[in-house]
Amino acid sequence: MYKIFLTILLFLFSPAISRAEYPLRDTEKGEHLRYIIHYGIIKGGKASLKIKMENIDGKDLYHATLTGKTVGLFNSLYKVKDTYESFIDPKSLLPEKAIRDIREGNYERYNEVVFDRQKNEVNSTRSGIHKVPVGTQDILSAFYFARVNYFNPDLKVGEVVKIQTFFSDKLFLLQFRFMGYENIDSKIGEVRCYKFIPIVETGRAFKDKDDMTIWISADANRIPVRVQFDLFIGSLRCDLLNFSDFSYDSLIDED
C-alpha cells in the first residue's frame, strides 16, 4: 500500500522546453517541502522533499532527497521507509547520479545509477549498463526539471506531456494531461493551482486512467500542493503541510 503513497510524489514531473537554472531563493540553505498522507480520515504517512546545492568531488551539484515513511496504524501493519536521491547538474538540470534505498516490511533494496551523458548510458549497481535516450532523467530529477521548464502559463488545456526517465532499472515514460486551473484550500491557505491528471495503468490499483489528480501552485514557487487518487480500495490524499527555503529539520524520523 505505501508504495502507492510514495509514488504520489514521484508522479509530479514533465518534459522540458528550455534550459534554465532551478529557482532556489538560497542555494546554500536549500528548500524543504513537507507532506502528510491520509487514507480517508486516517493518517497514513509522511513525506519530505529537499534540495540543496552541495560540492561533491569538486563540482557544485543540486542534491535532491525524497523520503517517505508510514506512521500510526499503517506503520504497525506494514512499516516503510523509502529514500530517493538525485544529484543534478545545475546548468543542464540533468542528473549525474541517482540513489534508491527501499525498506518495506522485510524487503530491502539499495541501488545506485550513474549517468554517462557522453555515451548516453546508465550504469546500475544492480543490473549493469543500459543504453538510454538523450536527456533521460531519473524519477526525482524530472520534478525539478519540470518546475523550471514546464509549469507556466503557456500550458494549453488538454495538453499531454511526456518525459523519458530511467526508473527501477528500466526506461519509464511519464505522461500526464493539463486540465486547467483550480483553487485549493490547503494547510498553507487558498492556493491557485495548475491541475494535472497523470495517465496511469488500470487494473492493479486504479479503476480508470484518470483516477489520479495533482495540483501544482500556479505561482513562482511551482510546488505540489495536493495529490489525490481513487483506488479500488478507496481514496488517498497527500497534502502539503508546510515548506521553507531555510530549514532542514525533517518531519521524517530516523528510526
Side-chain angles (χ1 to χ4, degrees):
M1 172 60 67
Y2 191 75
K3 287 184 179 180
I4 297 173
F5 288 164
L6 191 58
T7 301
I8 288 176
L9 295 181
L10 292 178
F11 271 102
L12 308 180
F13 317 127
S14 68
I17 295 175
S18 61
R19 299 275 194 263
E21 291 189 358
Y22 178 69
L24 284 176
R25 290 182 287 275
D26 188 331
T27 56
E28 293 300 320
K29 296 178 180 178
E31 177 189 75
H32 189 179
L33 310 177
R34 303 170 182 87
Y35 294 86
I36 193 74
I37 301 167
H38 286 90
Y39 173 62
I41 62 172
I42 302 173
K43 183 179 177 181
K46 298 177 181 179
S48 172
L49 185 59
K50 305 177 184 178
I51 187 168
K52 187 179 182 182
M53 182 76 78
E54 294 182 2
N55 188 278
I56 300 172
D57 297 328
K59 184 174 182 179
D60 289 334
L61 296 172
Y62 289 130
H63 181 194
T65 305
L66 171 63
T67 306
K69 65 170 291 184
T70 47
V71 298
L73 175 62
F74 282 87
N75 198 50
S76 300
L77 296 174
Y78 189 71
K79 186 175 182 178
V80 170
K81 184 177 180 182
D82 292 352
T83 302
Y84 293 77
E85 297 180 70
S86 183
F87 299 85
I88 307 167
D89 184 281
K91 293 184 178 179
S92 67
L93 294 187
L94 294 174
E96 297 195 356
K97 181 180 178 179
I99 297 174
R100 188 184 182 200
D101 186 4
I102 305 299
R103 285 182 275 170
E104 301 174 352
N106 295 323
Y107 175 80
E108 294 186 3
R109 178 168 181 151
Y110 181 88
N111 192 30
E112 295 187 8
V113 173
V114 176
F115 292 78
D116 187 330
R117 298 299 171 182
Q118 299 298 319
K119 296 180 180 180
N120 290 321
E121 293 178 345
V122 296
N123 190 346
S124 166
T125 55
R126 295 189 64 90
S127 62
I129 295 175
H130 304 255
K131 284 289 186 181
V132 296
V134 174
T136 296
Q137 296 279 341
D138 68 62
I139 199 73
L140 181 54
S141 67
F143 166 57
Y144 294 101
F145 206 61
R147 284 177 69 180
V148 172
N149 295 291
Y150 194 77
F151 301 149
N152 60 66
D154 293 332
L155 288 168
K156 302 291 191 300
V157 174
E159 182 178 351
V160 176
V161 289
K162 304 177 182 180
I163 185 170
Q164 187 67 68
T165 71
F166 186 82
F167 178 61
S168 193
D169 285 333
K170 61 184 178 182
L171 291 172
F172 179 63
L173 184 65
L174 291 168
Q175 303 180 75
F176 59 93
R177 182 181 295 108
F178 176 54
M179 303 301 293
Y181 297 90
E182 189 170 317
N183 290 336
I184 295 297
D185 186 12
S186 74
K187 295 184 181 296
I188 60 172
E190 187 174 7
V191 182
R192 186 171 187 263
C193 295
Y194 302 109
K195 181 179 179 181
F196 296 95
I197 293 182
I199 300 173
V200 299
E201 293 185 6
T202 61
R204 296 183 61 185
F206 297 97
K207 294 178 290 183
D208 300 305
K209 289 186 176 181
D210 294 342
D211 276 350
M212 183 175 180
T213 308
I214 301 168
W215 291 268
I216 306 290
S217 65
D219 57 15
N221 294 311
R222 291 165 281 179
I223 58 177
V225 174
R226 175 174 296 167
V227 184
Q228 180 172 314
F229 56 122
D230 299 319
L231 309 173
F232 285 112
I233 60 171
S235 180
L236 295 175
R237 197 168 87 179
C238 177
D239 281 308
L240 178 66
L241 187 63
N242 53 55
F243 70 95
S244 67
D245 59 358
F246 54 84
S247 172
Y248 260 56
D249 296 325
S250 177
L251 295 178
I252 306 300
D253 300 328
E254 292 302 319
D255 297 321

